[in-house]
Amino acid sequence: MASLNVGNVGEFLREQRRNAKLSLRQLADAAGVSNPYLSQIERGLRKPSADILQQLAKALRISAETLYVQAGILDERDREDLLQVPAAILADPSINEGQKQALLQIYESFRKENGSGKKAEGTQEDEAEATGADAP
């Protein structure tokens, strides 16, 4: 795991908060963190965990992966791979906004349940593990 680039993530959070026209207190309340803690993150004095970044992303209505990249937790190439499925769901004109959100939530829950979700589905190793056989 990469070291956290605390200054950049704090600056990025401040910019996103201002773009969303939220006060520091409003974002702290929406994300479930304390006002002083959020202030310290924005000023680069604290290193937020991935969970805190996820809470902040949800409150700002941006992807958590975007914050993970800013914090140096996730590589940009990994982020691009992770965004393919959500982008396809969001671009589908045949389903409504509520259905899109439901699919995104289900997709994220499956990814969390399976760890990071980076493991390829249906590989020979996966199939062998499921059946108890040895992989070729």
Side-chain angles (χ1 to χ4, degrees), residues 82 107 110-112 114-121:
L82 289 173
Y107 176 67
F110 284 154
R111 287 187 64 245
K112 287 178 186 173
N114 295 330
S116 68
K118 290 183 185 177
K119 186 165 65 171
E121 294 292 321

Side-chain angles (χ1 to χ4, degrees), residues 4-18 24 27 37-48 53 56 60 66-67 69-72:
L4 291 179
N5 194 349
V6 180
N8 285 350
V9 75
E11 292 168 17
F12 183 78
L13 278 169
R14 179 180 290 125
E15 182 180 320
Q16 293 301 309
R17 177 178 59 77
R18 288 179 176 164
L24 192 70
L27 178 57
Y37 181 64
L38 179 56
S39 174
Q40 290 171 351
I41 292 171
E42 284 192 359
R43 291 181 288 140
L45 302 175
R46 292 282 187 160
K47 296 179 181 182
L53 290 172
L56 289 166
L60 288 166
T66 300
L67 288 183
V69 169
Q70 289 293 321

Side-chain angles (χ1 to χ4, degrees), residues 45-102:
L45 302 175
R46 292 282 187 160
K47 296 179 181 182
S49 68
D51 288 338
I52 297 295
L53 290 172
Q54 187 172 26
Q55 290 171 233
L56 289 166
K58 185 176 180 181
L60 288 166
R61 296 180 182 194
I62 61 175
S63 78
E65 287 82 9
T66 300
L67 288 183
Y68 296 161
V69 169
Q70 289 293 321
I73 295 172
L74 185 66
D75 186 270
E76 183 68 32
R77 288 170 294 169
D78 294 337
R79 177 181 179 266
E80 290 170 8
D81 291 345
L82 289 173
L83 295 178
Q84 288 180 0
V85 172
I89 292 170
L90 292 171
D92 190 336
S94 66
I95 57 177
N96 66 39
E97 208 50 46
Q99 292 167 330
K100 290 176 184 181
Q101 291 305 314

